[in-house]
Amino acid sequence: GDHLRKKRADLGLTAYQVAVLFDVNRNTYYGWESGRDKPGKRQFSKIFEFIEYEPTELIPRAVGT
């Protein structure tokens, strides 16, 4: 939620604008930002793209590669 809120603020967007981007209603988006709710799996790729996060960053590389 904190990452979403920070990115939204950095871009000067309203919660409504980001909710439209994710194809959810504003209350759903506020739930994500507040930590009250969690996004569904179908939203992860959009969220990662929005916050410019590459999920493979957490996968350790094999030794010798």
Side-chain angles (χ1 to χ4, degrees), residues 28-56:
T28 297
Y29 179 76
Y30 276 133
W32 297 349
E33 274 197 4
S34 70
R36 184 184 69 236
D37 298 314
K38 295 184 180 187
K41 290 179 184 179
R42 72 179 185 96
Q43 301 297 5
F44 287 151
S45 63
K46 290 179 185 179
I47 291 171
F48 291 159
E49 183 178 339
F50 179 73
I51 63 173
E52 299 176 341
Y53 171 72
E54 181 61 47
T56 57

